[in-house]
Structures are given as structure tokens and as C-alpha cells.
Amino acid sequence: MNLPNKLTMFRVILIPFFVLFMLADITGVDKWIALAIFIVASLTDLLDGKIARKYNLVTNFGKFMDPLADKLLVCSALICLVEMAKLPAWMVIVIIAREFIISGFRLIASDNGVVIAASYWGKFKTTFQMVMICLLIADIEAINIITNVVVWAALILTVVSLVDYLVKNKDIMKETK
């Protein structure tokens, strides 16, 4: 259990606390605690990958758990935002569907000995989704226009990154004999 894997597990452990503060009315500053937890969890995502690559600490556990932890964090946040009526369900369905499709593609590729690396579109998508979630949690009325632009940009990047993956990896779906 190296440092990157510990950071990944820490991110997973933070998720229930994040959800608790997103949905509960405990302290009066719950959304700010949830936002802080989300930011810390998001930063562990950035750190674990950088550390793993820099110090050659990439493991099979990390390859499996890191993307799973990311999806759990983002999906948890999106579902909470739907519950709080801050994001329409159809947008969340599009975002989550994209994640399932890409995960399926990666699974098929893996079975064929092919690794599908993250694309720049996927990285932009992730960045915009994280910023979107932070802005929606903060819910600052003075920047609602910016928040709305970021929400739509995240959705558009979600679709663009999906199309990019599908086009670049269309041969993955061909039957091999």
C-alpha cells in the first residue's frame, strides 16, 4: 500500500462524509464543509497520479481503484446535486452514461491487450466537471451566470470527449478472430 494508493483510499473514505454534509443540515455551514471535502478529495486525485508516475509507484490496484474512486466521487456529487435540485437529472444521466461507455470500452480494450490512455478532452472534461461541482455546491448568486456557463461547458466536454474516444477507438469494437 504505497502513498498513491493510500491517497486513492483516502478519497474513497472521504465520499460518505462528503455526501453526509451535502445532504444533511447539521452545522449551518454544511455546504462549505462538503465543498472543502470535495476539494481535498479532488486534489488527492491529482496528487496520486503524479506521485505514482514520478516515483514509478504505478500498481494494478491503483490502475483499478483510482478511476473507480474518481467515478464514485463525481457520481456521488452529481447525485447529491440532483437531490438538491441544483442540477437536472438528464444532465447527470448523460455524464454518468459517458463514464459507463468509456469504462466498457476500456474493459474490451483491456481484454484485447490494448490500453486506452486518457485524452486531453477527457482531462478537460474532468476539470470542468470538478469546477462545476464546486460552483454548484458554493451556490454563489453573484456568479450564477459563470456557474451556468461552466455547467454547459462541462456537459459539452462530456459529449465531445465521448465522441473523441469512440472515434479514436472504433476498432476496439471490431471482433477479432
Side-chain angles (χ1 to χ4, degrees):
M1 186 58 68
N2 60 31
L3 179 58
N5 291 341
K6 287 177 183 175
L7 288 170
T8 297
M9 291 310 300
F10 180 62
R11 184 163 63 255
V12 171
I13 291 166
L14 286 177
I15 294 168
F17 297 100
F18 166 72
V19 171
L20 174 69
F21 284 103
M22 279 290 287
L23 299 178
D25 188 12
I26 301 168
T27 67
V29 292
D30 301 310
K31 79 174 183 180
W32 300 111
I33 295 170
L35 179 59
I37 292 170
F38 185 81
I39 290 169
V40 168
S42 297
L43 290 174
T44 67
D45 178 32
L46 182 67
L47 281 174
D48 65 10
K50 285 188 182 288
I51 293 169
R53 286 184 295 278
K54 183 175 181 177
Y55 296 103
N56 197 28
L57 297 172
V58 176
T59 64
N60 286 335
F61 177 84
K63 288 179 191 176
F64 172 74
M65 277 306 296
D66 181 59
L68 182 59
D70 298 344
K71 286 170 185 39
L72 287 170
L73 177 64
V74 170
C75 289
S76 296
L78 295 173
I79 292 166
C80 288
L81 291 165
V82 169
E83 172 74 18
M84 300 166 71
K86 292 186 179 190
L87 203 56
W90 71 266
M91 282 187 175
V92 173
I93 291 167
V94 168
I95 292 168
I96 292 174
R98 181 250 183 229
E99 297 306 326
F100 275 104
I101 292 166
I102 297 304
S103 294
F105 249 73
R106 284 197 165 122
L107 184 61
I108 292 168
S110 174
D111 283 347
N112 292 322
V114 177
V115 175
I116 299 178
S119 73
Y120 285 108
W121 286 113
K123 291 178 183 187
F124 290 139
K125 177 262 322 170
T126 300
T127 301
F128 269 82
Q129 284 180 359
M130 299 288 192
V131 171
M132 171 190 77
I133 289 166
C134 290
L135 290 171
L136 289 168
I137 293 169
D139 194 21
I140 300 170
E141 193 171 327
I143 61 169
N144 274 349
I145 292 172
I146 294 169
T147 301
N148 287 332
V149 168
V150 171
V151 167
W152 283 100
L155 183 68
I156 290 166
L157 286 168
T158 296
V159 173
V160 167
S161 69
L162 172 62
V163 170
D164 180 59
Y165 273 109
L166 295 177
V167 168
K168 286 182 180 171
N169 299 291
K170 62 184 177 290
D171 293 338
I172 296 295
M173 294 304 287
K174 292 181 181 174
E175 292 291 326
T176 57
K177 295 184 180 188

